[in-house]
Amino acid sequence: MSSRNQKLVPEAKEALNKFKMEAANEVGVNLKQGYNGDLTSRQAGSVGGQMVKKMIESYEKNMK
């Protein structure tokens, strides 16, 4: 069975990592490079939620 976490554009990995770090900083979660298994589910979810929120905002701005 293949992994569902494969990037559609592998070259975007660095940009996605930077985006994740920015989102974590905005919600006050201290991410470090590499393993972050010490985060709570709430912290990890807030980072992911912030990323989705920013992606939707960007998409909506580009629709105009």
Side-chain angles (χ1 to χ4, degrees), residues 9-60:
V9 182
E11 299 82 22
K13 183 176 183 176
E14 187 60 37
L16 288 170
N17 282 334
K18 182 180 177 196
F19 181 53
K20 178 172 57 175
M21 292 298 202
E22 290 172 4
N25 189 40
E26 289 173 6
V27 294
V29 174
N30 186 23
L31 280 186
K32 51 193 176 285
Q33 293 294 333
Y35 181 72
N36 284 288
D38 56 335
L39 294 179
T40 65
S41 296
R42 171 169 269 169
Q43 289 172 317
S46 66
V47 173
Q50 182 69 7
M51 290 175 72
V52 170
K53 180 180 175 183
K54 290 180 65 119
M55 285 186 265
I56 291 171
E57 286 174 0
S58 175
Y59 183 81
E60 287 176 342

